[in-house]
Amino acid sequence: MKPFKFSFHPRLIDCLRAYDGSKFFQDLTAGLTVGIVALPLAMAFAIASGVKPEAGIFTAVIAGFLVSALGGSRVQIGGPAGAFIVIIYGIVEKYGVANLLIATVFAGMMLCAMGVFRLGSLIRYIPVPIVIGFTSGIAVLIALSQMKDFFGLHIEKMPGDFFAQIQTLAQNADSFNLTSIVIGVLSLALIFGWPLLLKPKATELELPPRATTHRMRRLLRALPGTIIVLVLATLAVSLFDLKVDTIGSKFGGIPQGVPDFALPEFSWALVQQLFAPALTIALLGAIESLLCARVADNITGDRHDPNQELMAQGIANVVTPFFGGIPATGTIARTVTNIRAGAVSPVSGILHALTLLFIVLIAAPLANNIPLAALAAILLYVAYNMGDWHEFARLRHFSMNYRILMLSTFFLTVIVDLTVAVQVGLVLACVFFIYRISSLTRIEQIPNEEMVVELPPGVHAYSIFGSLFFGAVGKLEGLIEPKAMPERALILELHQLINLDATGLDALETIRKSLQKHGSQLILCGLNRQPRDLMRRSGFLDRLGADHCLPNLQAAIDVSAALDGTLERYPA
């Protein structure tokens, strides 16, 4: 076993060794682009989570800075994420905002511990159908939570339960605001249609690169559809005095300044109850962050340090709540935008955070007239992109185990709870894995035609293939049934037994004792290293006897024939 060695080495240190002006210009362009993209998302995620919009912006600033400065990825962008919306909303509804902040700090400590003890690689063992199931389930819940603002319904507060949300929406369906619906529909259409509007026509491809049309399209292409929607919707509300819910009317606007450091209100009565929410935040943050880093690696051809990334995420989640922030993790959409904008180092992530801070300090009052219907449309777009909907159409091509795993995680996430969904999903995955591996374990009688000599009377020989573990030991029971009990010896040929656990060893010990009671003996041959080492450490080989653990089948037959002096009748 390798000795434990603590390592804290941010990727930024390596990137700055060969840093120059041209790289800074690339990072500056990427940082400005991602900062603009992150602004509407940060506000929308916060509002959907049940907190004020500035909590999302401050999280993007502080966590985004720390994740980039201390992380193990070259291009990953940290901040509030859509995957957290359902979790945060449930915690706020049940425990309050103050206890959400405390749970976030606890989650940050857990993430740091996971990184320190080098558990980053273990996140990769979570099966793909579980990840698809809960991310798609979260997408459905995000979309459902936005119906209130999208349609302008007069609902004071949405409940956290899925069926209660549907009931509340149905009961208040007649309170819709037509203006909100128009803003929401037009915003959603523009977000989806913006890339199509910028697609160059065949005639424009013939123009020289410096033509005005090309320059204008490149400029517009650099602006995401979400920003265009945000600007146009805000202008419409301001110019025409539209009667819809806005950030100003709902939350009193966004404070213009740097958040103050403040200790969350601490309640010992709820600390024990916060362990489960904190664990959920930590696990979801770790999964989302490392999945995002792997996506970035696939695009850039780079390789991140998962343990350093977890430590950076942990530090960010410990620090951010003291400034009123919410849980943060790696964000795929902003990370991909960062890469496509030309980022070459973590400096781009730092500049993205500073861009957001500059916007808050300069332009915060302009956010008062941002309509909530436009932010709802942005979140519906996020939910659409978050879900792996094509995987549902492809389910018929996968095994039944895959379908059960993915669908159970999806429906449990939507109907019950994300924590329960992941727990049940992991248990089902383990059960299916055990069943699959146990089905590969075979115990077969060795036919006489495969032997150099015929077996002596009263001797049975079997081969065991695969892994003899707790899920497969039941297959040994038939070897010692009264009708199948050999009179002289039972030979087990084990050269294709790749693994043996303590339960399998206990089953072999039971066979040895049962045979001994009936005047018969157990003989093993062809042992591989792992089963032999376990048998030796446990003392099983000493109880079995060295002359009953042989290198090959022929030697075992010779010993079985010699048990009653009949060796001369069965020569080699």
Side-chain angles (χ1 to χ4, degrees):
M1 181 181 293
K2 295 182 180 179
F4 172 76
K5 183 179 180 181
F6 174 73
S7 175
F8 187 87
H9 188 81
R11 188 66 181 274
L12 180 63
I13 296 175
D14 297 328
C15 292
L16 290 179
R17 289 173 181 167
Y19 205 68
D20 54 28
S22 63
K23 291 182 178 179
F24 175 77
F25 181 77
Q26 288 179 271
D27 284 334
L28 178 61
T29 304
L32 292 174
T33 303
V34 180
I36 294 173
V37 171
L39 178 63
L41 294 177
M43 290 189 293
F45 291 154
I47 293 172
S49 300
V51 296
K52 294 183 178 180
E54 61 263 28
I57 297 177
F58 295 153
T59 301
V61 172
I62 300 170
F65 181 92
L66 292 174
V67 167
S68 295
L70 305 177
S73 173
R74 186 165 54 88
V75 292
Q76 176 149 272
I77 301 296
F84 279 131
I85 289 176
V86 179
I87 302 299
I88 297 173
Y89 191 89
I91 296 174
V92 170
E93 184 184 40
K94 187 173 182 179
Y95 301 104
V97 175
N99 289 293
L100 166 67
L101 303 182
I102 295 172
T104 305
V105 173
F106 288 166
M109 294 177 180
M110 293 179 189
L111 284 167
C112 283
M114 291 168 66
V116 169
F117 292 104
R118 313 188 69 80
L119 301 180
S121 59
L122 296 181
I123 302 299
R124 298 180 180 178
Y125 293 127
I126 296 179
V128 170
I130 292 180
V131 176
I132 294 174
F134 79 69
T135 52
S136 299
I138 289 172
V140 170
L141 292 174
I142 291 174
L144 184 64
S145 69
Q146 296 312 298
M147 294 298 101
K148 167 181 171 290
D149 292 331
F150 189 85
F151 291 100
L153 302 178
H154 296 301
I155 301 174
E156 186 65 26
K157 186 177 181 181
M158 286 286 289
D161 179 71
F162 173 73
F163 293 109
Q165 286 183 348
I166 293 178
Q167 183 180 8
T168 301
L169 290 172
Q171 290 174 346
N172 295 273
D174 57 348
S175 65
F176 65 88
N177 184 317
L178 186 58
T179 306
S180 291
I181 295 175
V182 172
I183 291 175
V185 171
L186 291 178
S187 298
L188 199 58
L190 184 56
I191 293 172
F192 277 100
W194 185 249
L196 300 177
L197 293 175
L198 297 179
K199 188 176 181 180
K201 300 178 181 178
T203 54
E204 294 175 358
L205 293 175
E206 300 174 359
L207 296 175
R210 294 186 179 180
T212 304
T213 304
H214 275 281
R215 289 200 299 267
M216 182 62 67
R217 284 194 174 276
R218 282 200 300 270
L219 177 61
L220 292 176
R221 196 175 290 116
L223 294 174
T226 52
I227 286 294
I228 301 299
V229 162
L230 204 66
V231 172
L232 293 181
T234 304
L235 285 175
V237 171
S238 302
L239 295 176
F240 301 106
D241 193 25
L242 301 179
K243 303 302 179 182
V244 294
D245 288 335
T246 64
I247 287 181
S249 65
K250 190 74 174 180
F251 304 100
I254 296 176
Q256 188 176 15
V258 180
D260 297 326
F261 178 88
L263 294 175
E265 297 179 11
F266 195 79
S267 171
W268 281 107
L270 289 174
V271 168
Q272 294 180 345
Q273 300 179 39
L274 293 176
F275 176 78
L279 182 61
T280 302
I281 294 172
L283 290 178
L284 185 57
I287 294 171
E288 286 289 312
S289 173
L290 297 185
L291 282 177
C292 177
R294 289 178 66 183
V295 170
D297 288 350
N298 291 335
I299 298 174
T300 62
D302 198 11
R303 188 173 183 180
H304 72 284
D305 181 348
N307 299 306
Q308 182 64 41
E309 191 63 34
L310 287 179
M311 286 187 279
Q313 299 287 342
I315 293 171
N317 280 285
V318 168
V319 174
T320 304
F322 292 105
F323 296 91
I326 56 179
T329 185
T331 57
I332 294 178
R334 276 159 278 174
T335 298
V336 172
T337 302
N338 189 40
I339 296 170
R340 291 175 178 171
V344 294
S345 78
V347 173
S348 64
I350 295 174
L351 293 173
H352 127 270
L354 296 178
T355 299
L356 282 170
L357 180 60
F358 177 80
I359 293 174
V360 171
L361 295 178
I362 301 300
L366 300 178
N368 287 343
N369 289 330
I370 294 177
L372 298 185
L375 292 178
I378 291 173
L379 281 181
L380 288 175
Y381 176 72
V382 170
Y384 173 79
N385 288 307
M386 179 184 292
D388 289 311
W389 313 116
H390 62 281
E391 289 296 323
F392 289 87
R394 297 174 57 219
L395 273 179
R396 64 183 183 275
H397 300 300
F398 294 98
S399 67
M400 182 59 69
N401 290 351
Y402 186 99
R403 298 177 202 171
I404 293 174
L405 202 56
M406 179 174 154
L407 292 177
S408 61
T409 307
F410 172 76
F411 285 114
L412 285 173
T413 299
V414 173
I415 297 173
V416 184
D417 180 69
L418 173 63
T419 307
V420 174
V422 174
Q423 290 173 348
V424 172
L426 289 175
V427 170
L428 286 176
C430 291
V431 171
F432 291 152
F433 177 77
I434 292 169
Y435 174 77
R436 186 163 58 250
I437 296 300
S438 64
S439 66
L440 298 176
T441 302
R442 304 195 316 274
I443 300 176
E444 299 177 354
Q445 189 167 10
I446 302 175
N448 287 331
E449 56 266 21
E450 293 186 8
M451 304 182 191
V452 179
V453 296
E454 187 178 348
L455 282 174
V459 177
H460 297 174
Y462 293 86
S463 290
I464 300 181
F465 305 82
S467 177
L468 191 56
F469 70 116
F470 64 90
V473 293
K475 297 185 177 184
L476 290 174
E477 295 175 356
L479 301 182
I480 54 174
E481 291 181 356
K483 295 181 180 179
M485 186 76 69
E487 298 175 0
R488 179 184 294 179
L490 173 64
I491 299 175
L492 295 182
E493 204 282 321
L494 304 177
H495 86 278
Q496 294 190 81
L497 180 68
I498 59 175
N499 178 70
L500 176 71
D501 73 351
T503 306
L505 181 62
D506 183 69
L508 291 177
E509 180 67 33
T510 301
I511 290 176
R512 185 189 70 82
K513 292 179 179 179
S514 298
L515 290 170
Q516 194 174 43
K517 288 180 180 179
H518 289 80
S520 185
Q521 298 186 38
L522 175 64
I523 301 175
L524 306 180
C525 62
L527 279 173
N528 288 312
R529 181 174 179 178
Q530 190 275 334
R532 179 185 290 274
D533 288 346
L534 180 58
M535 291 179 181
R536 178 181 51 79
R537 293 195 307 270
S538 66
F540 177 80
L541 289 182
D542 294 333
R543 295 189 294 274
L544 183 67
D547 57 337
H548 282 50
C549 183
L550 302 162
N552 53 59
L553 180 59
Q554 183 58 56
I557 294 174
D558 292 344
V559 169
S560 67
L563 290 176
D564 61 351
T566 58
L567 181 60
E568 64 278 1
R569 291 187 290 152
Y570 303 97

